[in-house]
């Protein structure tokens, strides 16, 4: 009998094991039994051949309708063409050469059904005949003939055939054979899931589930198998998260209760607007957390423009009032600089401790970024270490080891989607004597199930309403079939500028140099279709704007390759209204806040992801002026890219769009664990569809960890958890 960690070569032989390892990264018995079929075919139902996509490796079930062999003139070659059909569409199979064609000719004759596996190509006859989909030299397996009539035949027709994600040299049916060999000898040991949990949720045993997913006797059995295996994925993940929460909440932290008559009160009194109900309520939640003896771990989400910064600043001031320091981390230098500017502006005299005109109980705010000058940096480091600076604003540079704080009480991480769990952990290490409180803010509103998994170690607060008086943002697609729209786009910019407003133009590339990683942190989902021209670049568009499209307007350029001082200068001038049009890369994606800007033009908009477009669009319509967002694209009507753009244009609901974004990505990408060749531990679970199951698993997991934090009474479960953590070692659950 074989255990889960047994190498496959012991059961399947070295040769097969080698193909499984190199082609599919399957090494152990456990790997193979968790390599689930991609889909299932029923013998009575043929694969829809119309749905085949060029270049894909497919396995189809079809019936042979025609077999035609012929010699090739003036060559010793021999060509066998077999046509198979699903009842309406056809697919041509071609076999060249006597040897290759021989077995096909012998086994394939009209009426025979089989599985055919190979790469789909399209054959276009010279002289313009109808293009024909084909598989060249496919692997195939003939399905045995139907037996006698009656019950046996019906059963036969209903047999479910698993179709596996295959690889070259290992067809689906060969994988099926390997799986069956392994399942026959599998020794699972005790079920990792506690019996009471299985009974409470009507779940079947693990062995039964594994057999059911690989070789279901009927669809009901398959459904039960999937439910059990999904449960395991959700539950084990939630156990890991519950353990993290428990460990974190057991740590000591210095309580920072609200102090009356302090900085926070002075700030509130001077605030030029009234806080929304949501801001006040979340403020209370945070204030209560900060007063506790254990560190806060809270996620604050809210759509673009919901006003998260003020909430964070108020939390920081409470901590400063309590004698501590607060650090604010931003994903980009541009955003860190902007936070620094807006926080000092909002605080006014309250940020000028020790300076002429500074208020009595004032503090200091310093900026710390990776590429600032040595002198400014030294000064900032000094003020952070001495405690003079109550608020330290920075980028990832703050994570570097030599940054010291006198008494770090709170870490605020802005626009979380760029910060992994490991980085949050690294910052927590910076607090001497207890852990700092942590507040994480998301750029993109995320569906609850994602919050429960990706950010499952955090408590969640949501700002669901925008501050009142916000004007609307209108979004339009500027498509290739309407060239007049593009001309109108430039005109609209000129009109807005004539009224004293400002505009952004965003391009996917900087241009001139190739190494642009800085500016493209979130690549658009999906593969680049072949043969597309390079995306529009800032430095290529600039001369055209200056000389032709927007002559006479004051155009500023912002991208990741500029020196930090230049970036800061450009943003300041834009904020001050000295620049009309800011031509930029996605460095303006998150957080940038210039309320006088009313137009956002996004070039090659189809190159960006849905959430990214939503973020970019959030740069306009921030004040009382209505915003206009124009999505310029070459994508053809009806294409997937156009559908995404239409979706962005049709709603300003960030939650709805983030669901759409999620649907179009692989789960692994969402969890940040998608590395080439690695398997995600989430194979069956889909974050969007399995919300109920995830929620139940979370409740059960939390209770179990509460009762048995180290899983001492649940050895088999602990082992399964260890396997998952191992798989995710480089992924999102990694501990510091
Ligand atoms: P985000 O949640 O996207 O980070 P910000 O914190 O940048 O949003 O806030 C967007 C804008 O709204 C800022 O200019 C901010 O000063 C303003 N703002 C925040 N709260 C309010 C409020 N209660 N009333 C009016 N304006 C507000
Ligand atoms: Mg923000």
């Amino acid at each position: 009998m074989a255990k889960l960690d047994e190498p496959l070569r012991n059961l399947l032989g070295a040769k097969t094991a080698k193909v499984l390892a190199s082609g599919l990264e399957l090494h152990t018995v456990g790997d193979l039994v968790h390599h689930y079929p991609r889909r299932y075919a029923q013998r009575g139902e043929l694969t829809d051949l119309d749905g085949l996509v060029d270049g894909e490796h497919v396995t189809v079930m079809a019936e042979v309708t025609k077999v035609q062999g012929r010699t090739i003139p003036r060559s010793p070659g021999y060509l066998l063409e077999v046509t198979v059909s699903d009842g309406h569409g056809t697919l041509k199979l071609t076999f060249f050469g006597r040897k290759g064609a021989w077995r096909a000719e012998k086994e394939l004759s009209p009426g025979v059904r089989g599985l055919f596996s190979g790469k789909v190509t399209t054959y276009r006859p010279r002289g313009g005949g109808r293009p024909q989909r084909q598989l060249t030299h496919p692997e195939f397996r003939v399905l045995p003939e139907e037996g006698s009539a009656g019950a046996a035949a019906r059963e036969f027709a209903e047999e479910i055939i698993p179709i596996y994600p295959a690889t070259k040299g290992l067809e689906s049916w060969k994988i099926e054979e390997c799986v069956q060999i392994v399942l026959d000898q599998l020794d699972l040991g005790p079920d990792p899931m506690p019996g009471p949990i299985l009974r409470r949720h009507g779940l079947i045993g693990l062995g039964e589930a594994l057999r059911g997913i690989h070789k279901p006797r009927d669809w009901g059995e398959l459904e039960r198998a999937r439910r059990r295996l999904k449960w395991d994925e959700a539950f084990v993940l939630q156990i890991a998260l519950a353990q993290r929460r428990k460990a974190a909440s057991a740590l000591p932290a210095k309580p920072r209760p609200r102090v009356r008559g302090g900085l926070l009160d002075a700030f509130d009194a001077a605030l030029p607007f009234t806080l929304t109900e949501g801001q006040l309520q979340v403020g209370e939640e945070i204030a209560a957390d900060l007063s506790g003896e254990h560190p806060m771990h809270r996620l604050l989400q809210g759509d673009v423009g919901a006003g998260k910064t003020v909430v964070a600043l108020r939390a920081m001031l409470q901590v400063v009032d309590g004698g501590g320091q607060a650090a604010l981390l931003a994903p980009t230098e541009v955003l860190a600089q902007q936070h620094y500017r807006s926080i000092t502006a909002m605080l006014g005299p309250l940020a000028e401790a020790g300076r002429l005109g500074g208020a009595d109980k004032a503090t200091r705010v310093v900026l710390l970024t990776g590429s600032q000058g040595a002198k400014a940096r030294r000064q900032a480091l000094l003020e952070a270490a001495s405690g003079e600076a109550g608020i330290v604003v920075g980028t990832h540079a703050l994570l570097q080891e030599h940054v010291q704080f006198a008494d770090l009480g709170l870490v605020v991480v802005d626009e979380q989607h760029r910060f992994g769990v490991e980085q949050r952990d690294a910052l927590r290490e910076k607090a001497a004597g207890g852990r700092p409180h942590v507040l994480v803010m998301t750029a993109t509103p995320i569906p609850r199930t994602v919050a429960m998994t990706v950010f499952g170690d955090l408590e969640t607060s949501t700002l669901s309403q925008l501050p009142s008086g916000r004007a609307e943002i209108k979004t339009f697609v500027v498509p290739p079939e309407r060239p007049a729209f593009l001309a109108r786009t430039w005109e609209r910019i000129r009109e807005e500028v004539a009224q004293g407003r400002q505009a952004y133009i965003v391009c996917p590339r900087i241009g001139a140099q190739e190494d642009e990683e800085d500016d493209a942190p979130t690549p658009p989902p999906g593969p680049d279709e072949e043969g597309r021209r390079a995306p529009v670049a800032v430095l290529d568009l600039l001369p055209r704007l200056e000389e032709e499209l927007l002559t006479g307007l004051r155009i500023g350029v912002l991208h990741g390759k500029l020196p930090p001082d230049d970036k800061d200068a450009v943003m300041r001038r834009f904020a001050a209204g000295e620049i009309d049009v800011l031509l930029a890369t996605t460095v303006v994606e998150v957080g940038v806040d210039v309320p006088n800007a009313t137009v956002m033009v996004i070039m090659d908009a189809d190159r960006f992801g849905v959430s990214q477009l939503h973020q970019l669009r959030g740069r306009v319509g921030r004040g009382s002026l209505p915003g206009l967002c124009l999505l310029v694209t070459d994508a053809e009507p009806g294409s997937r890219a156009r559908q995404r753009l239409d979706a962005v244009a049709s709603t300003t609901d960030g939650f709805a769009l983030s669901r759409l974004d999620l649907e179009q990505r692989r789960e692994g990408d969402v969890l940040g664990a998608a590395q080439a060749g690695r398997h995600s531990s989430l194979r069956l679970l889909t974050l969007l569809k399995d919300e109920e199951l995830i929620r139940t698993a979370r409740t059960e997991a939390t209770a179990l960890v509460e009762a048995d934090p180290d899983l001492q009474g649940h050895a088999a479960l602990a082992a399964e958890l260890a396997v998952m953590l191992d798989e995710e070692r480089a992924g999102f659950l990694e501990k510091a």
Side-chain angles (χ1 to χ4, degrees):
M1 294 302 267
K3 300 246 187 247
L4 287 171
D5 58 359
E6 179 115 12
L8 284 169
R9 88 183 94 76
N10 297 354
L11 282 82
L12 302 171
K15 204 168 136 229
T16 306
K18 209 170 144 196
V19 184
L20 285 169
S22 62
L24 297 168
E25 289 228 20
L26 305 174
H27 305 279
T28 63
V29 165
D31 292 343
L32 183 61
V33 296
H34 288 298
H35 182 69
Y36 305 140
R38 172 183 291 152
R39 58 191 174 82
Y40 301 82
Q42 202 161 10
R43 202 180 288 263
E45 285 170 22
L46 301 174
T47 310
D48 178 7
L49 297 176
D50 288 342
L52 299 182
V53 176
D54 258 17
E56 265 184 13
H57 191 101
V58 298
T59 304
V60 301
M61 183 151 67
E63 185 168 315
V64 176
T65 53
K66 198 167 132 193
V67 180
Q68 198 172 32
R70 58 186 160 93
T71 52
I72 300 170
R74 286 180 299 284
S75 100
Y78 181 73
L79 176 69
L80 183 73
E81 289 181 332
V82 177
T83 308
V84 297
S85 163
D86 60 1
H88 0 258
T90 62
L91 180 70
K92 189 160 273 181
L93 317 175
T94 48
F95 302 87
F96 293 101
R98 282 203 179 280
K99 241 178 143 182
W102 176 78
R103 185 172 77 93
E105 188 155 33
K106 185 157 162 272
E107 295 184 22
L108 301 179
S109 55
V112 165
R113 285 188 173 195
L115 290 168
F116 304 93
S117 176
K119 200 170 138 186
V120 182
T121 54
T122 299
Y123 172 70
R124 296 173 208 285
R126 250 174 292 169
R130 248 175 56 136
Q132 167 75 53
R133 286 274 164 72
Q134 64 174 13
L135 303 180
T136 305
H137 268 302
E139 291 294 329
F140 66 92
R141 194 184 69 164
V142 169
L143 300 176
E145 285 295 322
E146 226 167 301
S148 53
R154 202 167 325 117
E155 209 167 89
F156 183 87
E158 280 166 9
E159 187 191 342
I160 296 170
I161 298 168
I163 308 287
Y164 287 90
T167 183
K168 198 170 153 48
L170 212 53
E171 284 67 43
S172 176
W173 51 89
K174 291 189 188 147
I175 295 173
E176 184 185 339
E177 279 168 30
C178 294
V179 170
Q180 291 308 320
I181 291 170
V182 166
L183 282 179
D184 283 345
Q185 303 187 49
L186 183 61
D187 171 17
L188 272 175
D191 197 308
M193 220 42 67
I197 290 186
L198 293 182
R199 282 190 291 281
R200 263 201 295 281
H201 302 288
L203 296 162
I204 61 174
L206 183 58
E208 196 186 339
L210 287 174
R211 280 188 298 276
I213 195 139
H214 287 290
K215 197 73 188 157
R217 275 166 301 194
D218 55 58
W219 300 108
E221 183 174 39
L222 176 61
E223 199 37 53
R224 288 189 293 279
R226 291 174 62 91
R227 216 168 83 79
R228 163 61 207 256
L229 294 169
K230 271 187 192 179
W231 171 270
D232 283 24
E233 290 176 10
F235 187 79
V236 174
L237 180 62
Q238 292 299 337
I239 287 278
L241 293 167
Q243 283 183 329
R244 282 183 67 91
R245 280 198 305 276
K246 185 153 177 76
S249 68
L251 297 168
K254 215 187 262 184
R256 316 276 181 178
R258 219 180 144 159
V259 179
R260 290 295 154 193
L263 267 173
L264 178 52
D265 281 354
F267 175 77
D268 280 351
L271 205 59
F273 46 73
T274 23
L275 295 170
T276 64
E277 218 147 280
Q279 284 171 323
L280 283 170
Q281 193 198 325
V282 171
E284 290 300 317
E285 286 169 4
I286 293 173
D289 282 356
L290 293 176
S291 320
E293 294 182 346
H294 301 291
M296 167 174 79
H297 292 112
R298 189 168 286 278
L299 171 74
L300 171 56
Q301 57 172 339
D303 209 340
V304 179
K308 297 183 286 287
T309 316
V310 183
V311 173
L313 181 54
R314 293 183 69 242
M316 293 194 269
L317 292 174
Q318 178 171 334
V319 168
V320 175
D321 278 338
Q325 292 167 290
L328 171 59
L329 287 190
T332 65
E333 202 153 89
V334 169
L335 191 52
Q337 287 165 344
Q338 180 195 275
H339 273 315
Y340 173 72
R341 280 194 305 272
S342 66
I343 286 176
T344 41
M346 276 194 272
L347 288 176
L350 295 175
E352 294 182 17
R355 300 219 177 94
L356 206 61
D360 284 352
K361 33 184 172 288
T363 184
R364 300 266 294 251
V365 182
V366 297
L367 177 68
L368 197 53
T369 61
S371 44
Q372 73 193 142
K375 188 156 160 263
R377 185 172 170 75
R378 209 161 38 239
Q379 182 63 26
L381 284 170
L382 206 65
E383 292 190 19
S386 69
E388 262 176 282
I391 295 176
V392 180
V393 180
T395 53
H396 298 233
L398 276 189
L399 294 171
Q400 280 166 20
E401 271 159 41
H402 51 269
V403 181
Q404 297 289 326
F405 292 88
D407 182 8
L408 181 60
L410 169 66
V411 176
V412 179
V413 182
D414 194 15
E415 313 298 5
Q416 159 72 29
H417 70 288
R418 309 272 173 80
F419 276 89
V421 169
E422 319 79 47
Q423 287 157 311
R424 278 184 249 155
D425 281 351
L427 237 142
R428 285 180 197 155
E429 306 293 333
K430 296 246 169 249
R435 298 297 189 94
H437 300 281
V438 176
L439 178 66
V440 173
M441 305 197 284
T442 57
T444 319
I446 47 176
R448 222 178 14 250
T449 41
V450 182
M452 284 191 293
T453 45
V454 184
F455 304 113
D457 57 335
L458 306 170
E459 308 293 331
T460 309
S461 299
T462 306
L463 285 180
S464 45
Q465 108 211 81
L466 297 184
S468 58
R470 259 316 138 64
E472 203 186 357
I473 304 175
K474 286 214 167 77
T475 305
F476 298 99
V477 177
V478 179
E481 71 273 14
R482 310 291 284 272
F485 283 21
L486 189 57
R488 181 77 187 119
T489 297
W490 310 121
E491 208 177 301
R492 283 294 286 132
I493 291 180
R494 285 195 302 268
E495 286 169 11
E496 290 291 315
V497 170
Q499 293 186 42
R501 318 275 181 248
Q502 291 159 284
Y504 296 94
I505 301 174
V506 173
C507 301
R509 269 197 326 138
I510 303 175
Q513 68 244 92
E514 284 314 303
D515 174 31
E516 296 176 4
E517 277 160 40
D518 255 6
D519 289 38
T522 344
D528 244 27
E529 287 147 34
E530 275 166 42
R532 292 206 300 185
R533 62 166 171 74
V536 175
V538 166
L539 297 180
D540 299 336
L541 186 58
L542 180 63
R544 288 193 52 216
L545 293 178
E546 285 176 332
E547 288 154 27
E548 175 188 350
L549 303 168
L550 298 176
T551 355
L553 303 195
R554 297 168 300 175
I555 301 174
V557 169
L558 185 66
H559 58 71
K561 284 286 176 289
L562 291 176
D565 287 351
D566 293 10
K567 285 188 212 167
D568 193 37
V570 171
M571 273 316 295
R572 277 175 193 274
R573 289 176 55 216
F574 189 62
E578 295 161 20
I579 288 174
D580 302 315
V581 177
L582 187 62
L583 175 60
T585 56
T586 51
V587 290
V588 297
E589 179 189 349
V590 287
V592 168
D593 187 25
V594 178
N596 190 49
T598 49
V599 185
M600 164 66 66
V601 175
I602 304 175
M603 306 301 294
D604 278 335
D606 49 290
R607 311 276 176 141
F608 299 99
V610 166
S611 292
Q612 217 178 357
L613 292 170
H614 183 61
Q615 274 296 324
L616 283 168
R617 165 171 70 180
R619 301 311 109 218
V620 295
R622 295 181 75 80
S624 53
L625 303 167
L628 175 68
C629 173
L630 299 168
L631 306 173
V632 181
T633 180
D634 263 358
E636 297 300 327
S639 62
R640 257 190 60 177
R642 276 291 283 282
Q643 287 163 12
R644 286 194 298 129
L645 297 183
D646 289 342
V648 174
S650 71
T651 178
T652 48
D653 178 351
F655 281 86
L657 289 173
S658 71
R659 281 186 84 92
L660 183 78
D661 212 8
L662 190 54
E663 277 162 18
Q664 300 196 337
R665 292 179 196 221
R666 289 192 23 235
E667 305 291 321
D669 296 339
V670 176
L671 297 176
Q675 291 181 353
R678 289 183 67 87
H679 350 251
S680 159
S681 56
L682 300 192
R683 295 177 171 88
L684 295 171
L685 201 65
T686 49
L687 295 178
L688 288 176
K689 292 188 201 125
D690 297 315
E691 181 166 344
E692 191 51 48
L693 185 123
I694 293 172
R695 204 197 320 271
T696 316
R698 183 175 170 88
T699 311
E700 287 283 7
T702 308
L704 191 142
V705 167
E706 209 43 59
D708 181 10
D710 303 321
L711 307 182
Q712 279 173 348
H714 300 89
L717 181 60
E720 199 165 303
L721 177 67
V723 171
M724 186 198 74
L725 291 176
D726 197 40
E727 283 182 3
E728 302 294 317
R729 182 172 291 140
F732 73 110
L733 275 171
E734 157 104 304
K735 295 197 175 152

